Amino acid sequence: MTVHFIGAGPGAPDLLTLRGRDLIASCPVCLYAGSLVPKEILSHCPPGARIVNTAPLSLDEIVAEIQAAHAQGRDVARLHSGDLSVWSAMGEQLRRLRALNIPYSITPGVPSFAAAAAALEAELTLPGLVQSVVLTRTSGRASAMPEGEKLAAFAATGAVLAIHLSVHVLDKVIEELLPYYGVDCPVAIVWRASWPDQRIIRATLGTLETSVGTELERSAIILIGRTLGSADFDESRLYAVDYDRRYRPVGAAPRFPEAS
């Protein structure tokens, strides 16, 4: 018996990996985060599967469901939204399973910030402008931010910031970032990225607060950085005609002559 933790993607049911789909189809038990995982994904569950929405459950109750499946030798598909590596609450579940000696596997998913960037038709890292993306958030009731992880500290690097779970404190986010990015820096808020009711708001840091309505209360990502909507950037050397690389040797003495 194995508990398969599966990143179910940002919202669109077809933004699910083939591995994730096949694991769901093979598991007689499915535990899913019903507040964020679209029900269309549950159509991959086999007939007669036990399907449990974990949104109203405590950690103890979730682990009890897993223990019951373990006792019966039944594989479990454990679905979380987005990707499991950030803000998934998977770590605390894995710690419980290790203590109980219950096997598990992890299948990554499409993260919400990537879906938001796709909705904006944007590459977040552009040569000569920005080469780093910081995934962060502000303090919330479920998890406080460590003392050293301040928005100002990340903003000082000039990186693109993908700020999650923070649209409800937008005024504080703007106040903290203005000294570093300036009023003219491009900003976008993508609400429910990849869902049918997805909404995009584009603005500058100076105009953002007046551009956002009160309905964007959750499931929104704030993206800020000079690469958003920019057309003034360098081309990378990767595809330059004179760039000598392993798969396209150039010149009389290429670095990788065996590839010629």
PDB file of all heavy atoms in Angstrom, residues 2-39:
ATOM      1  N   THR A   2       0.496   2.233  -0.800  1.00  0.00           N
ATOM      2  CA  THR A   2       1.260   3.481  -0.890  1.00  0.00           C
ATOM      3  C   THR A   2       0.297   4.663  -0.921  1.00  0.00           C
ATOM      4  O   THR A   2      -0.763   4.594  -1.547  1.00  0.00           O
ATOM      5  CB  THR A   2       2.134   3.506  -2.163  1.00  0.00           C
ATOM      6  OG1 THR A   2       3.019   2.389  -2.152  1.00  0.00           O
ATOM      7  CG2 THR A   2       2.958   4.785  -2.239  1.00  0.00           C
ATOM      8  N   VAL A   3       0.681   5.726  -0.239  1.00  0.00           N
ATOM      9  CA  VAL A   3      -0.045   6.992  -0.331  1.00  0.00           C
ATOM     10  C   VAL A   3       0.645   7.833  -1.396  1.00  0.00           C
ATOM     11  O   VAL A   3       1.822   8.185  -1.246  1.00  0.00           O
ATOM     12  CB  VAL A   3      -0.055   7.744   1.013  1.00  0.00           C
ATOM     13  CG1 VAL A   3      -0.831   9.054   0.867  1.00  0.00           C
ATOM     14  CG2 VAL A   3      -0.652   6.881   2.107  1.00  0.00           C
ATOM     15  N   HIS A   4      -0.062   8.148  -2.455  1.00  0.00           N
ATOM     16  CA  HIS A   4       0.520   8.912  -3.557  1.00  0.00           C
ATOM     17  C   HIS A   4       0.103  10.376  -3.425  1.00  0.00           C
ATOM     18  O   HIS A   4      -1.055  10.732  -3.699  1.00  0.00           O
ATOM     19  CB  HIS A   4       0.049   8.346  -4.902  1.00  0.00           C
ATOM     20  CG  HIS A   4       0.458   6.928  -5.133  1.00  0.00           C
ATOM     21  ND1 HIS A   4       1.758   6.575  -5.410  1.00  0.00           N
ATOM     22  CD2 HIS A   4      -0.274   5.775  -5.106  1.00  0.00           C
ATOM     23  CE1 HIS A   4       1.831   5.262  -5.575  1.00  0.00           C
ATOM     24  NE2 HIS A   4       0.614   4.750  -5.392  1.00  0.00           N
ATOM     25  N   PHE A   5       1.026  11.229  -2.993  1.00  0.00           N
ATOM     26  CA  PHE A   5       0.774  12.670  -2.955  1.00  0.00           C
ATOM     27  C   PHE A   5       0.920  13.200  -4.377  1.00  0.00           C
ATOM     28  O   PHE A   5       1.957  12.995  -5.026  1.00  0.00           O
ATOM     29  CB  PHE A   5       1.754  13.360  -2.007  1.00  0.00           C
ATOM     30  CG  PHE A   5       1.458  13.120  -0.563  1.00  0.00           C
ATOM     31  CD1 PHE A   5       1.923  11.981   0.075  1.00  0.00           C
ATOM     32  CD2 PHE A   5       0.690  14.031   0.162  1.00  0.00           C
ATOM     33  CE1 PHE A   5       1.644  11.748   1.411  1.00  0.00           C
ATOM     34  CE2 PHE A   5       0.402  13.800   1.498  1.00  0.00           C
ATOM     35  CZ  PHE A   5       0.875  12.661   2.125  1.00  0.00           C
ATOM     36  N   ILE A   6      -0.112  13.888  -4.852  1.00  0.00           N
ATOM     37  CA  ILE A   6      -0.157  14.313  -6.250  1.00  0.00           C
ATOM     38  C   ILE A   6      -0.472  15.797  -6.326  1.00  0.00           C
ATOM     39  O   ILE A   6      -1.482  16.259  -5.777  1.00  0.00           O
ATOM     40  CB  ILE A   6      -1.241  13.517  -7.018  1.00  0.00           C
ATOM     41  CG1 ILE A   6      -0.941  12.019  -6.972  1.00  0.00           C
ATOM     42  CG2 ILE A   6      -1.342  14.003  -8.468  1.00  0.00           C
ATOM     43  CD1 ILE A   6      -2.105  11.143  -7.421  1.00  0.00           C
ATOM     44  N   GLY A   7       0.381  16.549  -7.001  1.00  0.00           N
ATOM     45  CA  GLY A   7       0.080  17.944  -7.295  1.00  0.00           C
ATOM     46  C   GLY A   7      -0.957  17.994  -8.399  1.00  0.00           C
ATOM     47  O   GLY A   7      -0.692  17.566  -9.532  1.00  0.00           O
ATOM     48  N   ALA A   8      -2.136  18.504  -8.080  1.00  0.00           N
ATOM     49  CA  ALA A   8      -3.251  18.463  -9.026  1.00  0.00           C
ATOM     50  C   ALA A   8      -3.307  19.670  -9.946  1.00  0.00           C
ATOM     51  O   ALA A   8      -4.249  19.814 -10.723  1.00  0.00           O
ATOM     52  CB  ALA A   8      -4.571  18.319  -8.265  1.00  0.00           C
ATOM     53  N   GLY A   9      -2.317  20.559  -9.848  1.00  0.00           N
ATOM     54  CA  GLY A   9      -2.270  21.703 -10.748  1.00  0.00           C
ATOM     55  C   GLY A   9      -3.027  22.905 -10.212  1.00  0.00           C
ATOM     56  O   GLY A   9      -3.639  22.858  -9.143  1.00  0.00           O
ATOM     57  N   PRO A  10      -3.018  24.008 -10.964  1.00  0.00           N
ATOM     58  CA  PRO A  10      -3.546  25.278 -10.476  1.00  0.00           C
ATOM     59  C   PRO A  10      -5.057  25.430 -10.561  1.00  0.00           C
ATOM     60  O   PRO A  10      -5.622  26.341  -9.967  1.00  0.00           O
ATOM     61  CB  PRO A  10      -2.867  26.298 -11.388  1.00  0.00           C
ATOM     62  CG  PRO A  10      -2.664  25.549 -12.673  1.00  0.00           C
ATOM     63  CD  PRO A  10      -2.353  24.142 -12.270  1.00  0.00           C
ATOM     64  N   GLY A  11      -5.712  24.574 -11.333  1.00  0.00           N
ATOM     65  CA  GLY A  11      -7.159  24.731 -11.447  1.00  0.00           C
ATOM     66  C   GLY A  11      -7.750  24.080 -12.678  1.00  0.00           C
ATOM     67  O   GLY A  11      -8.698  23.301 -12.579  1.00  0.00           O
ATOM     68  N   ALA A  12      -7.199  24.365 -13.852  1.00  0.00           N
ATOM     69  CA  ALA A  12      -7.714  23.731 -15.069  1.00  0.00           C
ATOM     70  C   ALA A  12      -7.509  22.219 -14.954  1.00  0.00           C
ATOM     71  O   ALA A  12      -6.397  21.765 -14.693  1.00  0.00           O
ATOM     72  CB  ALA A  12      -6.988  24.268 -16.296  1.00  0.00           C
ATOM     73  N   PRO A  13      -8.560  21.416 -15.138  1.00  0.00           N
ATOM     74  CA  PRO A  13      -8.431  19.975 -14.919  1.00  0.00           C
ATOM     75  C   PRO A  13      -7.470  19.280 -15.867  1.00  0.00           C
ATOM     76  O   PRO A  13      -6.986  18.195 -15.560  1.00  0.00           O
ATOM     77  CB  PRO A  13      -9.864  19.451 -15.087  1.00  0.00           C
ATOM     78  CG  PRO A  13     -10.595  20.520 -15.801  1.00  0.00           C
ATOM     79  CD  PRO A  13      -9.941  21.816 -15.435  1.00  0.00           C
ATOM     80  N   ASP A  14      -7.186  19.895 -17.021  1.00  0.00           N
ATOM     81  CA  ASP A  14      -6.238  19.262 -17.937  1.00  0.00           C
ATOM     82  C   ASP A  14      -4.793  19.678 -17.672  1.00  0.00           C
ATOM     83  O   ASP A  14      -3.875  19.216 -18.356  1.00  0.00           O
ATOM     84  CB  ASP A  14      -6.614  19.545 -19.393  1.00  0.00           C
ATOM     85  CG  ASP A  14      -6.693  21.028 -19.721  1.00  0.00           C
ATOM     86  OD1 ASP A  14      -6.712  21.852 -18.778  1.00  0.00           O
ATOM     87  OD2 ASP A  14      -6.738  21.362 -20.921  1.00  0.00           O
ATOM     88  N   LEU A  15      -4.555  20.543 -16.670  1.00  0.00           N
ATOM     89  CA  LEU A  15      -3.191  20.846 -16.255  1.00  0.00           C
ATOM     90  C   LEU A  15      -2.795  19.883 -15.137  1.00  0.00           C
ATOM     91  O   LEU A  15      -2.409  20.262 -14.042  1.00  0.00           O
ATOM     92  CB  LEU A  15      -3.070  22.301 -15.790  1.00  0.00           C
ATOM     93  CG  LEU A  15      -3.099  23.341 -16.889  1.00  0.00           C
ATOM     94  CD1 LEU A  15      -2.984  24.754 -16.300  1.00  0.00           C
ATOM     95  CD2 LEU A  15      -1.973  23.109 -17.894  1.00  0.00           C
ATOM     96  N   LEU A  16      -2.900  18.607 -15.455  1.00  0.00           N
ATOM     97  CA  LEU A  16      -2.577  17.508 -14.557  1.00  0.00           C
ATOM     98  C   LEU A  16      -1.585  16.618 -15.283  1.00  0.00           C
ATOM     99  O   LEU A  16      -1.763  16.322 -16.468  1.00  0.00           O
ATOM    100  CB  LEU A  16      -3.856  16.722 -14.224  1.00  0.00           C
ATOM    101  CG  LEU A  16      -3.724  15.469 -13.369  1.00  0.00           C
ATOM    102  CD1 LEU A  16      -3.365  15.835 -11.931  1.00  0.00           C
ATOM    103  CD2 LEU A  16      -5.044  14.680 -13.381  1.00  0.00           C
ATOM    104  N   THR A  17      -0.529  16.182 -14.602  1.00  0.00           N
ATOM    105  CA  THR A  17       0.455  15.346 -15.283  1.00  0.00           C
ATOM    106  C   THR A  17      -0.151  13.983 -15.624  1.00  0.00           C
ATOM    107  O   THR A  17      -1.099  13.519 -14.969  1.00  0.00           O
ATOM    108  CB  THR A  17       1.706  15.126 -14.416  1.00  0.00           C
ATOM    109  OG1 THR A  17       1.357  14.363 -13.254  1.00  0.00           O
ATOM    110  CG2 THR A  17       2.316  16.457 -13.989  1.00  0.00           C
ATOM    111  N   LEU A  18       0.428  13.349 -16.630  1.00  0.00           N
ATOM    112  CA  LEU A  18      -0.033  12.004 -16.997  1.00  0.00           C
ATOM    113  C   LEU A  18       0.201  11.035 -15.849  1.00  0.00           C
ATOM    114  O   LEU A  18      -0.629  10.151 -15.586  1.00  0.00           O
ATOM    115  CB  LEU A  18       0.691  11.531 -18.253  1.00  0.00           C
ATOM    116  CG  LEU A  18       0.445  12.338 -19.536  1.00  0.00           C
ATOM    117  CD1 LEU A  18       1.268  11.784 -20.672  1.00  0.00           C
ATOM    118  CD2 LEU A  18      -1.029  12.336 -19.888  1.00  0.00           C
ATOM    119  N   ARG A  19       1.322  11.201 -15.155  1.00  0.00           N
ATOM    120  CA  ARG A  19       1.598  10.326 -14.013  1.00  0.00           C
ATOM    121  C   ARG A  19       0.530  10.504 -12.935  1.00  0.00           C
ATOM    122  O   ARG A  19       0.031   9.526 -12.376  1.00  0.00           O
ATOM    123  CB  ARG A  19       2.976  10.597 -13.432  1.00  0.00           C
ATOM    124  CG  ARG A  19       3.317   9.683 -12.266  1.00  0.00           C
ATOM    125  CD  ARG A  19       4.606  10.098 -11.576  1.00  0.00           C
ATOM    126  NE  ARG A  19       5.741  10.013 -12.476  1.00  0.00           N
ATOM    127  CZ  ARG A  19       6.992  10.307 -12.106  1.00  0.00           C
ATOM    128  NH1 ARG A  19       7.244  10.736 -10.873  1.00  0.00           N
ATOM    129  NH2 ARG A  19       7.987  10.206 -12.971  1.00  0.00           N
ATOM    130  N   GLY A  20       0.192  11.768 -12.658  1.00  0.00           N
ATOM    131  CA  GLY A  20      -0.834  12.027 -11.663  1.00  0.00           C
ATOM    132  C   GLY A  20      -2.165  11.424 -12.054  1.00  0.00           C
ATOM    133  O   GLY A  20      -2.851  10.793 -11.233  1.00  0.00           O
ATOM    134  N   ARG A  21      -2.552  11.603 -13.315  1.00  0.00           N
ATOM    135  CA  ARG A  21      -3.815  11.036 -13.799  1.00  0.00           C
ATOM    136  C   ARG A  21      -3.846   9.522 -13.625  1.00  0.00           C
ATOM    137  O   ARG A  21      -4.840   8.948 -13.152  1.00  0.00           O
ATOM    138  CB  ARG A  21      -3.993  11.387 -15.271  1.00  0.00           C
ATOM    139  CG  ARG A  21      -5.248  10.834 -15.934  1.00  0.00           C
ATOM    140  CD  ARG A  21      -5.092  10.796 -17.437  1.00  0.00           C
ATOM    141  NE  ARG A  21      -4.034   9.862 -17.841  1.00  0.00           N
ATOM    142  CZ  ARG A  21      -3.564   9.755 -19.094  1.00  0.00           C
ATOM    143  NH1 ARG A  21      -4.048  10.539 -20.038  1.00  0.00           N
ATOM    144  NH2 ARG A  21      -2.611   8.889 -19.375  1.00  0.00           N
ATOM    145  N   ASP A  22      -2.741   8.851 -14.015  1.00  0.00           N
ATOM    146  CA  ASP A  22      -2.709   7.389 -13.953  1.00  0.00           C
ATOM    147  C   ASP A  22      -2.710   6.886 -12.514  1.00  0.00           C
ATOM    148  O   ASP A  22      -3.299   5.834 -12.220  1.00  0.00           O
ATOM    149  CB  ASP A  22      -1.478   6.867 -14.697  1.00  0.00           C
ATOM    150  CG  ASP A  22      -1.549   7.125 -16.198  1.00  0.00           C
ATOM    151  OD1 ASP A  22      -2.646   7.449 -16.692  1.00  0.00           O
ATOM    152  OD2 ASP A  22      -0.499   7.016 -16.873  1.00  0.00           O
ATOM    153  N   LEU A  23      -2.068   7.613 -11.611  1.00  0.00           N
ATOM    154  CA  LEU A  23      -2.082   7.212 -10.210  1.00  0.00           C
ATOM    155  C   LEU A  23      -3.482   7.354  -9.614  1.00  0.00           C
ATOM    156  O   LEU A  23      -3.944   6.482  -8.869  1.00  0.00           O
ATOM    157  CB  LEU A  23      -1.081   8.052  -9.413  1.00  0.00           C
ATOM    158  CG  LEU A  23       0.392   7.685  -9.585  1.00  0.00           C
ATOM    159  CD1 LEU A  23       1.274   8.725  -8.904  1.00  0.00           C
ATOM    160  CD2 LEU A  23       0.679   6.295  -9.012  1.00  0.00           C
ATOM    161  N   ILE A  24      -4.159   8.443  -9.947  1.00  0.00           N
ATOM    162  CA  ILE A  24      -5.538   8.621  -9.463  1.00  0.00           C
ATOM    163  C   ILE A  24      -6.399   7.459  -9.936  1.00  0.00           C
ATOM    164  O   ILE A  24      -7.202   6.902  -9.175  1.00  0.00           O
ATOM    165  CB  ILE A  24      -6.113   9.958  -9.953  1.00  0.00           C
ATOM    166  CG1 ILE A  24      -5.345  11.134  -9.335  1.00  0.00           C
ATOM    167  CG2 ILE A  24      -7.600  10.061  -9.626  1.00  0.00           C
ATOM    168  CD1 ILE A  24      -5.666  12.474  -9.975  1.00  0.00           C
ATOM    169  N   ALA A  25      -6.227   7.079 -11.197  1.00  0.00           N
ATOM    170  CA  ALA A  25      -7.036   6.004 -11.776  1.00  0.00           C
ATOM    171  C   ALA A  25      -6.752   4.650 -11.140  1.00  0.00           C
ATOM    172  O   ALA A  25      -7.586   3.737 -11.228  1.00  0.00           O
ATOM    173  CB  ALA A  25      -6.802   5.931 -13.283  1.00  0.00           C
ATOM    174  N   SER A  26      -5.594   4.520 -10.494  1.00  0.00           N
ATOM    175  CA  SER A  26      -5.214   3.220  -9.928  1.00  0.00           C
ATOM    176  C   SER A  26      -5.534   3.087  -8.446  1.00  0.00           C
ATOM    177  O   SER A  26      -5.370   2.001  -7.882  1.00  0.00           O
ATOM    178  CB  SER A  26      -3.707   2.991 -10.135  1.00  0.00           C
ATOM    179  OG  SER A  26      -2.936   3.840  -9.281  1.00  0.00           O
ATOM    180  N   CYS A  27      -5.981   4.175  -7.811  1.00  0.00           N
ATOM    181  CA  CYS A  27      -6.150   4.178  -6.350  1.00  0.00           C
ATOM    182  C   CYS A  27      -7.619   4.018  -5.945  1.00  0.00           C
ATOM    183  O   CYS A  27      -8.465   4.808  -6.369  1.00  0.00           O
ATOM    184  CB  CYS A  27      -5.594   5.471  -5.749  1.00  0.00           C
ATOM    185  SG  CYS A  27      -3.793   5.598  -5.851  1.00  0.00           S
ATOM    186  N   PRO A  28      -7.926   3.056  -5.092  1.00  0.00           N
ATOM    187  CA  PRO A  28      -9.307   2.873  -4.638  1.00  0.00           C
ATOM    188  C   PRO A  28      -9.747   3.878  -3.574  1.00  0.00           C
ATOM    189  O   PRO A  28     -10.916   3.894  -3.190  1.00  0.00           O
ATOM    190  CB  PRO A  28      -9.300   1.456  -4.058  1.00  0.00           C
ATOM    191  CG  PRO A  28      -7.890   1.209  -3.654  1.00  0.00           C
ATOM    192  CD  PRO A  28      -7.032   1.966  -4.631  1.00  0.00           C
ATOM    193  N   VAL A  29      -8.803   4.705  -3.097  1.00  0.00           N
ATOM    194  CA  VAL A  29      -9.134   5.763  -2.144  1.00  0.00           C
ATOM    195  C   VAL A  29      -8.545   7.073  -2.656  1.00  0.00           C
ATOM    196  O   VAL A  29      -7.398   7.116  -3.104  1.00  0.00           O
ATOM    197  CB  VAL A  29      -8.571   5.463  -0.733  1.00  0.00           C
ATOM    198  CG1 VAL A  29      -8.893   6.616   0.223  1.00  0.00           C
ATOM    199  CG2 VAL A  29      -9.137   4.156  -0.196  1.00  0.00           C
ATOM    200  N   CYS A  30      -9.325   8.143  -2.601  1.00  0.00           N
ATOM    201  CA  CYS A  30      -8.848   9.466  -3.027  1.00  0.00           C
ATOM    202  C   CYS A  30      -9.208  10.498  -1.964  1.00  0.00           C
ATOM    203  O   CYS A  30     -10.385  10.667  -1.627  1.00  0.00           O
ATOM    204  CB  CYS A  30      -9.477   9.853  -4.369  1.00  0.00           C
ATOM    205  SG  CYS A  30      -9.000  11.504  -4.938  1.00  0.00           S
ATOM    206  N   LEU A  31      -8.210  11.154  -1.442  1.00  0.00           N
ATOM    207  CA  LEU A  31      -8.397  12.265  -0.519  1.00  0.00           C
ATOM    208  C   LEU A  31      -8.008  13.534  -1.267  1.00  0.00           C
ATOM    209  O   LEU A  31      -6.888  13.641  -1.764  1.00  0.00           O
ATOM    210  CB  LEU A  31      -7.509  12.096   0.724  1.00  0.00           C
ATOM    211  CG  LEU A  31      -7.599  10.765   1.476  1.00  0.00           C
ATOM    212  CD1 LEU A  31      -6.662  10.781   2.682  1.00  0.00           C
ATOM    213  CD2 LEU A  31      -9.020  10.475   1.908  1.00  0.00           C
ATOM    214  N   TYR A  32      -8.910  14.491  -1.360  1.00  0.00           N
ATOM    215  CA  TYR A  32      -8.633  15.688  -2.156  1.00  0.00           C
ATOM    216  C   TYR A  32      -8.988  16.949  -1.381  1.00  0.00           C
ATOM    217  O   TYR A  32      -9.917  16.953  -0.566  1.00  0.00           O
ATOM    218  CB  TYR A  32      -9.375  15.643  -3.488  1.00  0.00           C
ATOM    219  CG  TYR A  32     -10.858  15.923  -3.402  1.00  0.00           C
ATOM    220  CD1 TYR A  32     -11.384  17.154  -3.795  1.00  0.00           C
ATOM    221  CD2 TYR A  32     -11.746  14.963  -2.921  1.00  0.00           C
ATOM    222  CE1 TYR A  32     -12.740  17.418  -3.718  1.00  0.00           C
ATOM    223  CE2 TYR A  32     -13.107  15.218  -2.843  1.00  0.00           C
ATOM    224  CZ  TYR A  32     -13.597  16.449  -3.243  1.00  0.00           C
ATOM    225  OH  TYR A  32     -14.944  16.720  -3.158  1.00  0.00           O
ATOM    226  N   ALA A  33      -8.231  18.007  -1.637  1.00  0.00           N
ATOM    227  CA  ALA A  33      -8.502  19.306  -1.015  1.00  0.00           C
ATOM    228  C   ALA A  33      -9.625  19.980  -1.797  1.00  0.00           C
ATOM    229  O   ALA A  33      -9.384  20.655  -2.801  1.00  0.00           O
ATOM    230  CB  ALA A  33      -7.237  20.161  -1.019  1.00  0.00           C
ATOM    231  N   GLY A  34     -10.832  19.803  -1.344  1.00  0.00           N
ATOM    232  CA  GLY A  34     -11.998  20.202  -2.121  1.00  0.00           C
ATOM    233  C   GLY A  34     -12.148  21.686  -2.341  1.00  0.00           C
ATOM    234  O   GLY A  34     -12.851  22.110  -3.260  1.00  0.00           O
ATOM    235  N   SER A  35     -11.507  22.503  -1.523  1.00  0.00           N
ATOM    236  CA  SER A  35     -11.640  23.943  -1.694  1.00  0.00           C
ATOM    237  C   SER A  35     -10.872  24.457  -2.903  1.00  0.00           C
ATOM    238  O   SER A  35     -11.160  25.546  -3.399  1.00  0.00           O
ATOM    239  CB  SER A  35     -11.138  24.661  -0.430  1.00  0.00           C
ATOM    240  OG  SER A  35      -9.790  24.313  -0.168  1.00  0.00           O
ATOM    241  N   LEU A  36      -9.904  23.681  -3.399  1.00  0.00           N
ATOM    242  CA  LEU A  36      -9.058  24.172  -4.485  1.00  0.00           C
ATOM    243  C   LEU A  36      -8.877  23.193  -5.644  1.00  0.00           C
ATOM    244  O   LEU A  36      -8.463  23.597  -6.720  1.00  0.00           O
ATOM    245  CB  LEU A  36      -7.666  24.541  -3.930  1.00  0.00           C
ATOM    246  CG  LEU A  36      -7.632  25.755  -2.992  1.00  0.00           C
ATOM    247  CD1 LEU A  36      -6.258  25.872  -2.332  1.00  0.00           C
ATOM    248  CD2 LEU A  36      -7.962  27.033  -3.745  1.00  0.00           C
ATOM    249  N   VAL A  37      -9.145  21.935  -5.439  1.00  0.00           N
ATOM    250  CA  VAL A  37      -8.976  20.942  -6.508  1.00  0.00           C
ATOM    251  C   VAL A  37     -10.295  20.802  -7.267  1.00  0.00           C
ATOM    252  O   VAL A  37     -11.336  20.506  -6.662  1.00  0.00           O
ATOM    253  CB  VAL A  37      -8.555  19.569  -5.934  1.00  0.00           C
ATOM    254  CG1 VAL A  37      -8.551  18.511  -7.027  1.00  0.00           C
ATOM    255  CG2 VAL A  37      -7.178  19.671  -5.280  1.00  0.00           C
ATOM    256  N   PRO A  38     -10.301  21.027  -8.593  1.00  0.00           N
ATOM    257  CA  PRO A  38     -11.561  20.935  -9.352  1.00  0.00           C
ATOM    258  C   PRO A  38     -12.113  19.516  -9.361  1.00  0.00           C
ATOM    259  O   PRO A  38     -11.371  18.541  -9.466  1.00  0.00           O
ATOM    260  CB  PRO A  38     -11.148  21.385 -10.761  1.00  0.00           C
ATOM    261  CG  PRO A  38      -9.681  21.152 -10.835  1.00  0.00           C
ATOM    262  CD  PRO A  38      -9.150  21.362  -9.449  1.00  0.00           C
ATOM    263  N   LYS A  39     -13.427  19.408  -9.255  1.00  0.00           N
ATOM    264  CA  LYS A  39     -14.049  18.093  -9.167  1.00  0.00           C
ATOM    265  C   LYS A  39     -13.909  17.292 -10.455  1.00  0.00           C
ATOM    266  O   LYS A  39     -14.040  16.058 -10.438  1.00  0.00           O
ATOM    267  CB  LYS A  39     -15.519  18.252  -8.775  1.00  0.00           C
ATOM    268  CG  LYS A  39     -15.701  18.724  -7.340  1.00  0.00           C
ATOM    269  CD  LYS A  39     -17.139  18.649  -6.880  1.00  0.00           C
ATOM    270  CE  LYS A  39     -17.250  19.032  -5.401  1.00  0.00           C
ATOM    271  NZ  LYS A  39     -18.648  18.961  -4.917  1.00  0.00           N
TER     272      LYS A  39
END
